[in-house]
């Protein structure tokens, strides 16, 4: 293999490693999204640079093992972070559910207390108005009695005045 072919092979393998490193990860997965056609084109070009007699079944590229180890480690970190986030969301969901339930309980208790206060206020007002009504009836009875007394006295006084006018020549 000539020096320029070796350099081109190294450049192709470097490009392949770069494509894999820059590939976007799939959500909740250790897999990445790569352009299949681009990667296959790089590999096919690399194969053409290696003489047929030197091509093993699998071509070992320098740094691939390290890259795979780093990718696996990164994938494990992503999975761990996703698990932690899922647990946090689950706890948050449980907290929100408990808080909503407590809010409903407090709202029901507050409504019951408000209803009891309104009922108590209405009963108090009804009793106060009933007492006022009784008092007004008593006062009205006294007023009527007083008017009757005054009317009788006025009638008696008028009768006395008429008699005295008849007696006076």
């Amino acid at each position: 293999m000539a020096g320029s072919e070796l350099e081109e092979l190294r450049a192709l393998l470097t490009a392949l490693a770069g494509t894999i490193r820059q590939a976007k990860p799939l959500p909740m997965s250790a897999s990445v999204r790569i352009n299949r056609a681009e990667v296959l084109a790089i590999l096919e070009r690399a194969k053409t640079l290696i003489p047929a007699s030197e091509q093993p079944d699998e071509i070992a590229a320098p740094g691939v093992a390290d890259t795979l180890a780093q990718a696996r480690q990164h994938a494990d970190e992503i999975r761990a972070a996703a698990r932690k986030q899922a647990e946090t969301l689950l706890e948050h969901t449980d907290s929100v559910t408990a808080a909503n339930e407590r809010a409903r309980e407090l709202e029901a208790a507050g409504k019951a207390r408000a209803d009891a206060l309104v009922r108590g206020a209405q009963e108090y007002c009804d009793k106060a108005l009933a007492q006022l009504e009784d008092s007004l009836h008593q006062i009205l009875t006294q007023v009527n009695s007083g008017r009757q007394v005054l009317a009788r006295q006025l009638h008696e006084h008028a009768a006395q005045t008429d008699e005295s006018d008849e007696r006076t020549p």
Side-chain angles (χ1 to χ4, degrees):
M1 181 179 289
S4 65
E5 290 174 337
L6 185 59
E7 286 179 28
E8 187 178 351
L9 179 59
R10 283 188 180 143
L12 287 171
L13 292 175
T14 301
L16 179 61
T19 299
I20 293 171
R21 278 191 198 99
Q22 293 175 356
K24 295 186 180 191
L26 295 174
M28 307 297 271
S29 172
S31 300
V32 294
R33 187 178 304 190
I34 60 171
N35 185 328
R36 181 183 303 176
E38 180 183 345
V39 171
L40 288 175
I42 292 172
L43 290 174
E44 289 301 321
R45 177 66 185 129
K47 281 183 186 180
T48 63
L49 294 175
I50 300 172
S53 60
E54 294 180 20
Q55 287 187 8
D57 289 341
E58 290 185 22
I59 299 174
V64 169
D66 291 338
T67 302
L68 286 175
Q70 288 175 353
R72 285 188 183 110
Q73 181 181 1
H74 184 63
D76 289 341
E77 290 169 0
I78 290 172
R79 278 193 293 272
R83 273 190 217 100
K84 184 172 180 146
Q85 186 176 12
E87 289 171 4
T88 302
L89 289 173
L90 183 60
E91 288 172 6
H92 179 69
T93 300
D94 291 344
S95 298
V96 168
T97 302
N100 285 336
E101 180 62 30
R102 180 69 177 136
R104 282 189 289 275
E105 290 170 3
L106 290 173
E107 182 180 18
K111 188 175 185 314
R113 179 158 166 71
D115 289 346
L117 287 172
V118 166
R119 210 173 21 259
Q122 288 173 338
E123 288 172 0
Y124 171 79
C125 289
D126 185 56
K127 285 179 185 177
L129 288 173
Q131 288 175 350
L132 179 63
E133 184 180 28
D134 287 345
S135 296
L136 288 174
H137 280 299
Q138 289 174 1
I139 291 170
L140 186 59
T141 301
Q142 289 174 357
V143 167
N144 282 337
S145 295
R147 287 188 72 208
Q148 287 174 1
V149 168
L150 284 174
R152 208 180 19 237
Q153 287 175 353
L154 185 64
H155 182 65
E156 287 174 4
H157 181 63
Q160 284 177 355
T161 306
D162 284 343
E163 282 179 22
S164 49
D165 283 344
E166 288 177 9
R167 286 188 207 160
T168 320

